[in-house]
């Protein structure tokens, strides 16, 4: 597909993913887990998409496919119209500048032995080969963009709170100026008040820097703060999707109603 003809920033077409379990018997083939069972999804630039569902629904597998961290068993993953799994190593490396990821655990996702500026600058160093002085300068700009001052540059992760560490992780994701950030349960490990701060930051980045988010969560209420569209997953399938306000107001699937019933009033 010609990237110029694609109206979507990210598109999954009939994407499936299976994993083989360890063999339990020499007499029987190893069992398989079907984490995704044929998912099709379109994310338009400027319209952040939420993916919601309980643990085991396939959300994180979808995130890994979207980031080209895994190759699907079946189907395609397109970024700006290009099949990521058809690219060679050099082409994929160049494409990765356009999409970055923020993980769930702000404690485990940062190297405790590295000063923050080096952690933030890592994608620019790895994907662009930016000179050291430029890395530090850009890291300072990104830390400022997420509300952390220049004094953060030479600190280590243990010197920050959980919410601040997640801001550092977001700064790292921003440094290549990506069009898409995949956030996998990026606020679920934070206290409720800190969640709100990080979500507001993401909304500011969306509005001011044009970042589109693929936001993975088990919480429909959290998704509604950031996303224009939502897809509800259960058992490796999308059971409902549409504009987030419509899905919240008029859920069509029983599972969506169950998720909404679990949201505190």
């Amino acid at each position: 597909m010609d990237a110029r003809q694609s109206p979507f920033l990210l598109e999954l077409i009939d994407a499936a993913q299976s994993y083989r379990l360890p063999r339990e018997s020499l007499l029987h083939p190893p069992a398989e887990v079907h984490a995704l069972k044929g998912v099709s999804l379109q994310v338009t630039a400027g319209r952040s998409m939420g993916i919601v569902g309980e643990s085991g629904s396939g959300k994180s597998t979808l995130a890994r496919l979207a980031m080209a961290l895994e190759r699907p068993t079946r189907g395609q993953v397109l970024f700006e119209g290009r099949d990521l799994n058809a690219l060679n190593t050099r082409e994929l490396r160049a494409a990765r500048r356009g999409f970055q990821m923020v993980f769930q655990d702000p404690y485990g996702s940062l190297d405790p032995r590295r000063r923050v500026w080096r952690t933030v600058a890592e994608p620019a160093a790895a994907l662009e080969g930016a000179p050291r002085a430029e890395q530090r300068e850009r890291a300072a700009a990104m830390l400022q963009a997420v509300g952390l001052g220049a004094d953060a540059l030479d600190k280590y992760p243990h010197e920050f709170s959980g919410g601040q560490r997640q801001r550092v992780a977001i700064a790292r994701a921003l440094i290549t100026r990506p069009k898409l950030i995949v956030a996998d349960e990026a606020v679920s490990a934070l206290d409720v008040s800190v969640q709100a701060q990080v979500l507001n930051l993401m909304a500011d980045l969306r509005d001011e820097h044009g970042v589109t988010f693929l936001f993975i969560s088990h919480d429909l209420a959290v998704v509604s703060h950031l996303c224009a569209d939502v897809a509800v997953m259960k058992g490796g399938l999308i059971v409902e999707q549409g504009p987030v306000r419509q899905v919240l107001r008029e859920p069509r699937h029983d599972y969506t109603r169950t998720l909404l019933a679990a949201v505190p009033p």
Side-chain angles (χ1 to χ4, degrees):
M1 177 185 293
D2 189 335
R4 291 171 298 179
Q5 296 178 354
S6 175
F8 304 116
L9 182 62
L10 175 72
E11 186 173 13
L12 277 69
I13 302 173
D14 193 30
Q17 184 67 307
S18 299
Y19 302 103
R20 285 193 174 186
L21 298 177
R23 184 188 292 270
E24 295 184 353
S25 169
L26 294 175
L27 303 177
H28 302 285
E32 284 191 338
V33 172
H34 301 287
L36 288 184
K37 301 174 182 176
V39 168
S40 294
L41 181 75
Q42 296 84 33
V43 179
T44 303
R47 286 187 65 87
S48 292
M49 168 74 75
I51 308 293
V52 298
E54 296 174 324
S55 296
S57 62
K59 307 186 306 295
S60 290
T61 300
L62 186 151
R64 290 193 294 272
L65 295 188
M67 286 294 300
L69 297 176
E70 296 182 6
R71 181 182 293 270
T73 307
R74 183 184 79 238
Q76 293 179 295
V77 180
L78 309 178
F79 182 74
E80 295 187 313
R82 303 175 74 194
D83 185 345
L84 293 178
N85 296 290
L87 303 180
N88 62 37
T89 301
R90 180 183 58 80
E91 291 170 333
L92 180 58
R93 185 186 184 92
R96 285 191 184 281
R97 293 182 58 185
F99 53 91
Q100 293 291 319
M101 191 164 190
V102 177
F103 296 93
Q104 174 180 359
D105 182 5
Y107 300 93
S109 64
L110 306 178
D111 188 338
R113 300 162 298 180
R114 297 183 115 188
R115 295 185 188 275
V116 158
W117 81 263
R118 292 191 64 194
T119 293
V120 171
E122 184 178 13
L127 299 176
E128 302 174 7
R132 186 181 177 92
E134 181 185 332
Q135 291 176 36
R136 186 178 172 90
E137 182 180 344
R138 287 170 61 180
M142 290 303 100
L143 287 168
Q144 184 176 8
V146 300
L148 295 175
D151 61 331
L153 284 169
D154 291 308
K155 291 183 177 180
Y156 291 92
H158 73 269
E159 299 180 71
F160 296 94
S161 68
Q164 289 173 324
R165 292 181 198 187
Q166 201 60 300
R167 287 173 180 261
V168 170
I170 294 168
R172 177 175 59 187
L174 284 172
I175 200 163
T176 59
R177 301 177 183 87
K179 297 178 181 179
L180 175 72
I181 290 181
V182 179
D184 188 5
E185 295 282 8
V187 299
S188 64
L190 305 174
D191 292 338
V192 173
S193 61
V194 182
Q195 280 189 13
Q197 295 172 15
V198 174
L199 286 169
N200 288 338
L201 168 63
M202 290 180 170
D204 290 343
L205 294 171
R206 177 199 63 198
D207 297 339
E208 296 174 14
H209 295 269
V211 178
T212 301
F213 286 90
L214 181 65
F215 193 85
I216 315 294
S217 180
H218 62 278
D219 190 332
L220 266 168
V222 167
V223 164
S224 69
H225 285 293
L226 184 66
C227 301
D229 301 305
V230 65
V232 181
M233 293 193 68
K234 181 183 182 188
L237 295 168
I238 292 177
V239 296
E240 182 166 357
Q241 62 180 305
V244 67
R245 291 182 181 178
Q246 176 182 318
V247 171
L248 289 173
R249 187 173 58 249
E250 300 174 355
R252 299 189 306 272
H253 197 278
D254 287 343
Y255 180 64
T256 309
R257 297 188 188 100
T258 300
L259 290 178
L260 283 169
V263 175

